[in-house]
């Protein structure tokens, strides 16, 4: 594999803009070893992708759904050794709410990203907000973060790897937050100033869309409120109105 040219088309430093809908938890709160259970994959039919990264082998996915059929002709690959600054940009056509991404190349398992930032923006020109910073350990790479609403998403490599290329046969985006953006001690950086906003992270106007109900077999309930006659606490969890 040929040595990669250094690509620095986009800065790696986290830049946060107030123009994006919602608030963001710090990248440090992201889970770089997430799972997709309980998540709902976004419909990618209108998504497109581009990669300023050199791609001498097959080019970037366009449309992005080319990534799902596990064939070399439709993967994205850098075609060169991974280099700091290589990036992959997804335009979701309109603002979407999401909280997890998955990158997978099962036929090219050694081509996973060794280090990367996940960034979002409301415009193709940025500014970009870092929502996750991860060190890659293998394929697939699944990353969750506090729900965000944005139209553009990019992954930027923060580590080089030689001779491994950077390849993806699947780039999937998920939302398990019922369309709600939450904040948990959100950290916002503007220039050299960093502020932290308080918040419990709870959503008091949530919906059950995308949620899975737990089995209540074996559950018991109690209360310090006096029960009237046979209207005991366990009645609320027996599934009988």
């Amino acid at each position: 594999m040929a040595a990669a040219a250094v690509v620095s088309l986009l800065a790696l430093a986290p830049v946060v803009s107030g123009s994006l809908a919602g608030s963001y938890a710090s990248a440090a709160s992201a889970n770089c070893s997430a799972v997709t259970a309980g998540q709902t994959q976004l419909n990618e039919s209108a998504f497109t992708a581009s990669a300023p990264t050199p791609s001498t082998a097959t080019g970037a996915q366009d449309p992005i759904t080319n990534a799902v059929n596990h064939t070399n002709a439709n993967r994205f690959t850098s075609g060169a050794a991974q280099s700091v600054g290589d990036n992959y940009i997804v335009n979701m056509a309109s603002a979407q709410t999401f909280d997890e991404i998955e990158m997978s190349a099962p036929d090219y398992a050694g081509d996973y990203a060794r280090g990367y930032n996940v960034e979002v923006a409301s415009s193709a020109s940025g500014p970009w907000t870092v929502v996750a910073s991860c060190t890659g350990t293998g394929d697939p790479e699944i990353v969750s973060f506090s729900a965000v609403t944005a139209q553009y998403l990019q992954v930027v490599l923060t580590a080089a790897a030689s001779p491994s290329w950077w390849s993806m046969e699947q780039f999937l985006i998920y939302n398990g937050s019922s369309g709600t953006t939450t904040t948990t001690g959100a950290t916002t950086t503007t220039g050299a100033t960093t502020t932290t906003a308080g918040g419990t992270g709870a959503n008091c106007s949530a919906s059950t869309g995308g949620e899975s109900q737990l089995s209540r077999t074996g559950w018991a309930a109690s209360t310090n409120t006096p029960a009237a006659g046979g209207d005991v606490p366990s009645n609320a969890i027996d599934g009988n109105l």
Side-chain angles (χ1 to χ4, degrees):
M1 298 181 184
V6 175
V7 179
S8 56
L9 297 176
L10 290 169
L12 295 178
V15 179
V16 175
S17 167
S19 62
L20 291 174
S23 300
Y24 309 100
S26 67
S29 67
N31 177 9
C32 298
S33 300
V35 296
T36 58
Q39 294 284 334
T40 300
Q41 184 185 332
L42 299 189
N43 183 340
E44 299 182 334
S45 60
F47 292 9
T48 57
S50 60
T53 300
S55 186
T56 59
T58 58
Q61 300 154 8
D62 191 2
I64 193 173
T65 45
N66 283 356
V68 299
N69 66 359
H70 291 218
T71 65
N72 179 72
N74 289 312
R75 66 167 170 160
F76 160 75
T77 185
S78 61
Q82 296 178 38
S83 181
V84 173
D86 289 355
N87 63 329
Y88 183 80
I89 304 170
V90 178
N91 177 359
M92 293 176 278
S94 62
Q96 304 287 329
T97 298
F98 53 97
D99 60 4
E100 187 166 292
I101 69 165
E102 177 181 0
M103 300 183 291
S104 177
D107 299 313
Y108 309 90
D111 288 1
Y112 63 90
R114 298 310 197 269
Y116 56 94
N117 284 345
V118 180
E119 306 181 3
V120 297
S122 58
S123 168
S125 59
W128 296 89
T129 300
V130 177
V131 295
S133 294
C134 297
T135 298
T137 57
D139 183 85
E141 296 178 297
I142 305 174
V143 187
S144 65
F145 38 84
S146 291
V148 296
T149 302
Q151 180 173 337
Y152 293 87
L153 164 67
Q154 75 167 340
V155 175
V156 184
L157 297 191
T158 58
S162 181
S164 296
W165 296 1
W166 181 27
S167 299
M168 288 182 288
E169 292 175 284
Q170 298 188 70
F171 189 102
L172 306 177
I173 305 172
Y174 298 92
N175 178 26
S177 64
S178 300
T180 301
T181 300
T182 60
T183 304
T184 306
T187 300
T188 301
T189 304
T190 304
T193 303
T194 300
T195 58
T196 300
T200 65
N203 172 19
C204 298
S205 301
S207 67
T208 57
E211 295 292 324
S212 298
Q213 183 181 330
L214 300 184
S215 169
R216 291 177 288 185
T217 302
W219 288 21
S222 62
T223 177
N224 58 8
T225 301
D231 296 332
V232 295
S234 58
N235 283 356
I237 59 173
D238 65 359
N240 185 346
L241 293 178

